[in-house]
Amino acid sequence: MTTTSAGQRSRTRRITFLVALAVFAQESTWNFYESQVPPLLREHIGSAAVVGVLMGMDNLLGIFVQPWIGNRSDRTRTAWGRRIPYLVVGMPIAAALFVVIPHTAASLPLLIAVMFAYALVANTFKPIAEALVPDFIAPERRSRANAVVKIATSLTAIVAALISIFLVDDHLNIAFAIPAAIMAVSIAVLGVTVRDSRSPAYQQVLAESRTEPDSRAPRVRDTFVEIFRDRDRSRLLLLAAILLFGSAWAASRSLITPYGMEALGMSRGDAGGLTLPSGVAFILAAYPAALFAERYGRLRAMAVGMSVFAGAMLLGTLLQSPLGATVALCIAAAGASSFLVNAVVVLWNLAPSARVFGTYAGMYTVSWAGGGFLGPALVGGMVDLNGWSLMLVDIAAVALLAIIVIARMGTLRRRSALALAK
C-alpha cells in the first residue's frame, strides 16, 4: 500500500513537472512579447489606447481560436494522445515567427502582420498545455499541480525581465531569439517524454466511448449554451470574474514598460525589468496560495488574493518611484497568484465530464484572453484621460469589479450548499 502510494506520488510529481514544462515553453515567448513589443509599436504610434488595442489583438484572436482548438483536442484520438500532437506542431512554428518580430520593427504594417501571424499560431496551442493538468491530476491535487505550473509561468517572466535588462537596449534581435530557443528546446523534451494517451482522463473517455458508443464530446456552442442556461450561475460568474481580473492583470503587464518610461522616467530596458522582482514574489506565493485554498476554500483564497492585488496598485500610486513600483508589483503578484492558481481549477472541477476538459480550458483562456484584450485598451484609454501617473489606480478599479463578482459567486455557492443540506 505504501509502495503503491509512493509510486503514485512519484508519477504525479513527474507529470506535474512535465506539464509545467509545456506551459513554460509557451509562456517563454508570451511574457517577452508583452514586455517588449509595446515599445516597438510606440516608435510608430503615440496613443496608449491604440497600442493597447494592438497588444490585445492576440487575446481577441484567442477568443475565437482557443475554444475551438480545445474542443478539437477533446475529440482527437491518437497513439500520442489528444493534446501532444498539437503542441509539437504549433510551438516550433510560433518560435520561428517570434524570432522575426524585431526584424520587422521599421515597418508598422509588416510588424503588425507578423504579430498577427505569431498570435494566431500561438493561440492554437495555448489552452491545450493547460488541459494536461486535469487529464493527469486528480481534483483534490489540482491546485498544487497548477501552482507548480504557474511557478513555471512566473519563471518565464523572470527570464523576460533579465533579457530586457541585459540585452534589449543593445542587442534586440538576440533578445527575441532567446525566448524562441527556450520554447524549441522545451517542446523537444516534452514531445519525447509525454504521451497523454496514458492519462487517466484519456482512459476514462475511451472507457465511456466503449460503454456508450454514440457519446462524443459536445460541441463548443453546446457547452456555452448549457452554461448560459444552467440555473446555477456559478460557472458563468466565474468566467466573468476571470475576464475582469484578466483585464486588470493584462494591463499591469502590457503597459508597465511605457508606464515606467512615461511616469517614472526610466529607460526602456530598465522599465522592462520592473516585473523581475515580482516574478520572484509570485514564485514564493504560488504554492502557499494553493495550500491556503485547500484549507480555507478556493473562492475565499481568490477573493483575498485579488484584494491584495488591488491594494498594491493603490500603494504603488502613493509610492510613485521605481522602488515604489517594484514593491507594489511584488505585493500585487503575490496576491494575484491566489487567483491564477485556483480559478481554472475551480472551473475544471465544475466540468460535468472528462470529455470536456480541453473545452473548459479553452473557455478559461477565452475569458482570460478577453480580459487581455479589453484590459490594456480600457486602461490605456483611462491613461489617455487621466495620465500615466494614475495608471495603477485605473487597474485597481478594474480588479475591484472582479472581487465583487467572486463575492457574489461565493454567496450563491453557500446558498446552494444550505439548500442541499435541508
Side-chain angles (χ1 to χ4, degrees):
M1 187 73 166
T2 303
T3 302
T4 301
S5 179
Q8 290 175 343
R9 287 197 298 270
S10 177
R11 286 191 293 272
T12 297
R13 286 193 294 268
R14 177 180 177 274
I15 197 60
T16 298
F17 169 78
L18 291 171
V19 171
L21 181 64
V23 176
F24 179 89
Q26 66 181 20
E27 293 295 332
S28 61
T29 55
W30 278 118
N31 275 290
F32 194 76
Y33 179 93
E34 291 176 355
S35 173
Q36 292 304 327
V37 171
L40 298 179
L41 294 171
R42 291 275 291 174
E43 293 177 2
H44 303 277
I45 301 169
S47 170
V50 174
V51 171
V53 168
L54 290 172
M55 286 304 298
M57 175 177 58
D58 59 288
N59 296 293
L60 181 62
L61 286 171
I63 291 172
F64 299 99
V65 172
Q66 292 179 22
W68 176 81
I69 199 68
N71 183 259
R72 189 68 191 169
S73 71
D74 282 336
R75 295 164 172 259
T76 298
R77 303 289 182 267
T78 72
W80 221 346
R82 53 181 179 171
R83 318 288 186 204
I84 298 299
Y86 294 94
L87 297 176
V88 297
V89 172
M91 284 187 173
I93 297 174
L97 289 168
F98 190 79
V99 171
V100 176
I101 289 175
H103 297 279
T104 65
S107 168
L108 180 61
L110 189 55
L111 174 60
I112 293 174
V114 176
M115 288 172 59
F116 179 86
Y118 164 77
L120 181 63
V121 175
N123 270 301
T124 61
F125 57 78
K126 193 168 185 179
I128 294 176
E130 294 179 355
L132 290 170
V133 171
D135 280 351
F136 281 98
I137 308 297
E140 64 275 8
R141 304 286 294 186
R142 286 173 187 166
S143 282
R144 299 186 189 194
N146 201 43
V148 176
V149 170
K150 295 305 181 184
I151 288 171
T153 301
S154 189
L155 285 173
T156 65
I158 294 174
V159 170
L162 288 172
I163 295 171
S164 292
I165 291 170
F166 293 110
L167 289 175
V168 162
D169 288 337
D170 298 316
H171 305 286
L172 187 62
N173 293 343
I174 295 175
F176 270 83
I178 290 175
I182 292 173
M183 176 184 279
V185 172
S186 298
I187 193 56
V189 173
L190 188 72
V192 170
T193 57
V194 175
R195 297 291 184 274
D196 69 283
S197 57
R198 302 169 186 170
S199 71
Y202 189 85
Q203 294 302 316
Q204 178 184 338
V205 169
L206 292 181
E208 290 176 358
S209 298
R210 287 192 292 269
T211 57
E212 304 174 42
D214 295 331
S215 65
R216 297 183 63 189
R219 296 175 301 173
V220 176
R221 178 181 177 277
D222 296 335
T223 300
F224 275 108
V225 168
E226 189 268 329
I227 289 175
F228 276 103
R229 290 181 176 176
D230 189 2
R231 294 181 62 185
D232 182 352
R233 315 304 286 176
S234 296
R235 289 175 293 176
L236 189 60
L237 286 171
L238 179 58
L239 291 172
I242 292 167
L243 183 145
L244 288 169
F245 192 71
S247 296
W249 178 259
S252 74
R253 295 291 155 174
S254 293
L255 299 178
I256 198 63
T257 298
Y259 170 79
M261 296 167 67
E262 300 289 342
L264 306 179
M266 303 174 71
S267 73
R268 177 172 156 187
D270 289 341
L274 276 173
T275 57
L276 175 58
S278 67
V280 177
F282 186 100
I283 290 172
L284 295 176
Y287 202 77
L291 299 180
F292 180 89
E294 290 178 1
R295 183 176 179 84
Y296 297 104
R298 292 188 174 98
L299 292 181
R300 180 178 298 177
M302 290 159 62
V304 169
M306 289 188 291
S307 298
V308 171
F309 175 89
M313 293 295 102
L314 298 178
L315 177 65
T317 304
L318 295 175
L319 306 175
Q320 197 158 92
S321 66
L323 177 59
T326 300
V327 171
L329 289 171
C330 286
I331 298 172
S337 68
S338 189
F339 185 92
L340 292 169
V341 164
N342 292 294
V344 69
V345 175
V346 174
L347 188 60
W348 285 330
N349 291 350
L350 290 173
S353 168
R355 296 177 190 172
V356 294
F357 282 158
T359 305
Y360 270 52
M363 288 193 297
Y364 170 82
T365 52
V366 161
S367 296
W368 192 256
F373 173 70
L374 294 174
L378 175 61
V379 174
M382 296 166 78
V383 166
D384 286 343
L385 293 175
N386 303 325
W388 283 102
S389 61
L390 293 178
M391 187 189 81
L392 300 185
V393 174
D394 300 334
I395 293 172
V398 178
L400 178 61
L401 296 177
I403 296 169
I404 293 171
V405 173
I406 285 295
R408 176 61 177 167
M409 180 182 172
T411 299
L412 292 179
R413 299 297 293 174
R414 286 191 294 273
R415 288 178 181 173
S416 178
L418 287 174
L420 290 174
K422 291 180 180 180

